[in-house]
Amino acid sequence: MEFDLIARHFTRATPGAVLGVGDDCALLAPTPGMQLAVSSDMLLEGRHFSPQDSPAGIGHKSLAVNLSDLAAMGATPRWATLSIALPEADDAWLTAFARGFFRMADMHGIELVGGDTTRGALTISITVMGEVPPGQALRRDGAKAGDDVWVSGVIGSAALALAYRQGRLFMEQIDAARVLPALYLPTPRVELGIALRGIAASAIDISDGLLGDLGHILQRSQVGAILEFAALPTLPVTQAYLHEKVARDCVLAGGDDYELCFTAPANRRDAVATVAQSAGVAVTRIGRITAEPELTVIGTDGQPLPFDHTGYDHFAA
């Protein structure tokens, strides 16, 4: 049964691998002179997605969040492994899941080369592998005082959608429809990450919240930052709800954005704008790095904005 499931849903040609699905191990030949970037993420039903969510959307999101890690390192996607625990063998669910997964894989040229299936609570675990030239990986420890802080795209939309879905924020249905796609179908900024090699001093993807994820850069780089709340890029529909504290928290610390937060020297602003335009992604300068190891958000009144938390806690109740 297990091997039939793998053969039906997850076995495809893998011209970029020496040997793909079907043996005890895949055989991979990285491009000579390149370094491998490897990352793993796990998604659990009830924690990262709901039972009623579209299986195609789950397939899309499960790979997208992993590709976002490669984007944050400036790595070119190459290969992935996929392990799934399923309560039961459900061909219709797997067919739709595989459709969403492979649509995302084909968009970014990544090949599925192995994995595992077993019975259990619905759990999806993916490992992705990418390539980056030596010394050019975007890391968290390169931010310097005086650097600009940037984010790609818009933030807060996915968290706003989740708050609406959980009943923590009332939204008009027409407004909710504008933010829900960000929760279900995130876009990894792979092309932008690659384009920022040699320009960005540090980078991270925003998965657990802007303040929390930027905090990882600040901690690793031993610096601080001052951000301007008014500069944070959000959808107009999000701005309409910012009078609500929960909406402000969604923007600052909501998570699930899968945008890139990165720093770059102030004299590279033109270069950042040029590569962002070539990648087709809007970027916004939201603050600057400081020597003092403290993170401050300045509100519209020019005063520091209080915040209760900085990001998603995977072990919170």
Side-chain angles (χ1 to χ4, degrees), residues 48-249:
H48 301 100
F49 58 89
S50 299
Q52 66 267 27
D53 288 352
S54 155
I58 296 171
H60 171 111
K61 185 171 183 177
S62 64
L63 183 55
V65 302
N66 281 268
L67 287 169
S68 187
D69 287 330
L70 293 183
M73 298 292 290
T76 302
R78 292 296 310 275
W79 304 288
T81 63
L82 166 65
S83 296
I84 304 182
L86 296 161
E88 59 183 356
D90 185 335
D91 268 305
W93 192 94
L94 284 169
T95 296
F97 174 90
R99 184 170 65 250
F101 179 94
F102 283 120
R103 183 170 58 231
M104 176 58 51
D106 291 342
M107 286 175 61
H108 296 282
I110 195 166
E111 297 177 351
L112 182 64
V113 295
D116 194 20
T117 58
T118 190
R119 182 184 295 272
L122 183 56
T123 304
I124 301 158
S125 180
I126 294 176
T127 296
V128 289
M129 290 154 275
E131 295 182 331
V132 63
Q136 293 191 35
L138 307 180
R139 296 169 45 155
R140 300 179 181 182
D141 58 1
K144 300 289 191 297
D147 282 358
D148 293 324
V149 181
W150 300 79
V151 293
S152 65
V154 296
I155 59 175
S157 302
L160 211 67
L162 183 61
Y164 164 78
R165 197 176 74 173
Q166 293 176 337
R168 294 186 289 114
L169 176 68
F170 170 79
M171 298 181 72
E172 298 290 346
Q173 286 191 347
I174 190 171
D175 292 340
R178 294 187 176 103
V179 294
L180 283 168
L183 179 63
Y184 297 121
L185 300 172
T187 300
R189 302 303 188 182
V190 174
E191 294 81 3
L192 178 63
I194 294 170
L196 285 171
R197 295 193 305 224
I199 298 173
S202 65
I204 192 169
D205 76 318
I206 307 174
S207 56
D208 295 330
L210 171 64
L211 298 188
D213 288 319
L214 174 59
H216 295 310
I217 288 179
L218 304 184
Q219 182 179 37
R220 292 292 300 274
S221 300
Q222 298 183 346
V223 293
I226 296 176
L227 305 183
E228 300 285 343
F229 185 79
L232 302 182
T234 58
L235 290 176
V237 65
T238 301
Q239 296 168 20
Y241 289 87
L242 289 181
H243 60 282
E244 300 271 4
K245 182 180 181 300
V246 64
R248 294 193 298 273
D249 287 345

Side-chain angles (χ1 to χ4, degrees), residues 37-48:
V38 182
S39 180
S40 296
D41 264 308
M42 185 181 300
L43 284 79
L44 284 72
E45 184 181 71
R47 190 69 170 178
H48 301 100

